Amino acid sequence: MSRYIKVLASLSLALAFFASAQEVNVYSSRHYDTDIALFESFTDLTGIEVNLIEGGSDELIERIVSEGDNSPADVLITVDAGRLWRAQEAGLLTTVDSPVLNAAIPENLRDSDNEWFALTRRVRAIVYNPETVDPSELSTYEDLATDQWEGRVLIRSSNNVYNQSLVASLIAAEGVDAEAWANGIVENLARPPQGGDTDQIRAVAAGEGDVAVVNHYYYARLIASEDPADQEVANAVDIFFPNQDGRGTHVNVSGAGVVATGPNQTNAIRFIEFLTTPRAQEIFAGGNNELPVLEGVEVSDIVENFGDFKTDDLNVSALGENNPEAVRIMDRAGWR
């Protein structure tokens, strides 16, 4: 972990022009020590103080709404593209004209009007019990809704935004009936949805179901844990990345936007640009075993050990745009 918290001496000298005695107010729903160390390095390099407010994504969005034009927030960092879309729909973000960000972040990982930018990628994978499932049986998300998996699927509730974004991606996928898929998943549940992604993995290890749909980094955390109980769970399951012969595994993001009423918008842009530099990307993504958005940046050792896999290049804006319909589909399916 120490490699994530050292001063980023290797960052480009081009950042030198950032130097100032100013500040930037960052509202973030990410809660990782590596993020804080990275922000401190930004201050060391630029002289711009980072004032950090942490909270849940929806909580921070509501806070900025309630603060109105007097909000001190300059940067909003959230997890899930759906929440970035919610902030955008609420009119909280502003268009950013940054050649640096346009060059660093692929078009499918940023808003078409540049109101927000992905900073890390996370994929929604399948964790399975190798004692009851042969990996040759696994193929796609769509297949999990077939009769083969009746009574075998574990997944968290429909109010979880990661699942809403997965359904939103299925709405956008060519040849997929998202409504039929949601109905099939509900019919195939091993138990009523409960708990978070880690709870689904533990339930697979305990034999309560054979497969679970989870974000990949929850499994990575169990692998990295020094708790023997976590190690036991990690050793009892394995991970599979669906849809490799088609569109690729579903991608979600954590990302950031500049708040429209922010008092320090120039510093806010500089801050987000900093987070897309190679060394910063390695730390920002690696601290949570996520995938970087910048090409050529190394992933964590754990993610490296997962091997190569294809990811869906759907523009993640669709995850927000399709969110209302995804929620309606899940409600109609009785997904609680």
Side-chain angles (χ1 to χ4, degrees):
M1 186 63 72
S2 61
R3 70 190 181 97
Y4 294 130
I5 61 176
K6 63 185 180 180
V7 174
L8 306 180
S10 62
L11 287 173
S12 170
L13 292 177
L15 290 171
F17 81 95
F18 287 170
S20 119
Q22 299 178 13
E23 65 180 6
V24 62
N25 302 312
V26 177
Y27 284 27
S28 177
S29 63
R30 290 170 55 98
H31 312 292
Y32 311 119
D33 292 343
T34 48
D35 284 12
I36 294 173
L38 189 60
F39 300 165
E40 291 173 351
S41 295
F42 172 76
T43 299
D44 290 341
L45 283 166
T46 68
I48 299 172
E49 292 291 334
V50 178
N51 302 315
L52 179 63
I53 300 293
E54 293 183 321
S57 293
D58 294 332
E59 171 192 352
L60 293 176
I61 290 170
E62 289 304 316
R63 176 168 177 165
I64 297 173
V65 169
S66 65
E67 289 171 341
D69 291 344
N70 295 320
S71 176
D74 297 307
V75 175
L76 174 66
I77 299 176
T78 75
V79 292
D80 184 84
R83 285 162 170 151
L84 290 165
W85 177 82
R86 289 178 191 174
Q88 183 178 20
E89 285 295 289
L92 302 185
L93 307 179
T94 189
T95 297
V96 171
D97 182 13
S98 168
V100 172
L101 295 176
N102 290 343
I105 301 176
E107 287 188 13
N108 69 305
L109 298 176
R110 52 186 161 95
D111 170 56
S112 59
D113 293 324
N114 282 6
E115 290 195 13
W116 53 261
F117 304 84
L119 295 173
T120 65
R121 295 176 293 149
R122 56 269 300 275
V123 297
R124 202 131 181 86
I126 297 172
V127 165
Y128 66 95
N129 184 338
E131 293 188 358
T132 59
V133 176
D134 189 292
S136 65
E137 299 177 76
L138 298 166
S139 58
T140 65
Y141 299 108
E142 296 91 294
D143 183 64
L144 294 181
T146 63
D147 293 344
Q148 175 185 356
W149 300 101
E150 184 177 357
R152 304 173 71 187
V153 176
L154 293 159
I155 195 166
R156 64 201 290 182
S157 72
S158 62
N159 64 14
N160 172 248
V161 73
Y162 301 146
N163 284 337
Q164 293 171 10
S165 289
L166 175 58
V167 175
S169 75
L170 295 175
I171 294 171
E174 184 176 352
V176 177
D177 185 339
E179 184 116 26
W181 184 82
N183 288 328
I185 289 295
V186 171
E187 292 174 1
N188 288 349
L189 289 175
R191 67 176 186 186
Q194 54 187 275
D197 278 11
T198 303
D199 296 302
Q200 313 312 310
I201 301 172
R202 294 188 192 282
V204 170
E208 296 180 42
D210 292 331
V211 295
V213 181
V214 300
N215 283 0
H216 77 278
Y217 54 84
Y218 288 100
Y219 176 50
R221 286 179 191 172
L222 292 169
I223 294 173
S225 174
E226 297 180 357
D227 186 333
D230 289 343
Q231 284 292 311
E232 184 176 356
V233 170
N235 291 332
V237 301
D238 209 339
I239 193 167
F240 180 85
F241 297 95
N243 295 80
Q244 291 303 289
D245 293 331
R247 64 186 178 275
T249 300
H250 166 62
V251 173
N252 207 328
V253 300
S254 66
V258 175
V259 178
T261 56
N264 304 292
Q265 291 189 1
T266 298
N267 290 344
I269 295 171
R270 292 171 176 174
F271 176 78
I272 297 173
E273 289 175 344
F274 166 82
L275 294 178
T276 67
T277 55
R279 182 66 177 135
Q281 274 282 290
E282 184 180 348
I283 293 172
F284 202 60
N288 189 38
N289 290 293
E290 293 176 270
L291 307 175
V293 296
L294 191 67
E295 290 289 336
V297 174
E298 292 185 4
V299 297
S300 71
D301 291 342
I302 292 174
V303 174
E304 179 73 23
N305 288 335
F306 289 160
D308 294 332
F309 53 90
K310 179 181 179 181
T311 55
D312 191 350
D313 62 3
L314 174 72
N315 191 304
V316 293
S317 295
L319 307 185
E321 293 165 1
N322 291 340
N323 179 271
E325 179 59 19
V327 172
R328 287 191 288 269
I329 285 173
M330 297 165 91
D331 285 346
R332 288 194 293 267
W335 188 336
R336 300 296 180 239

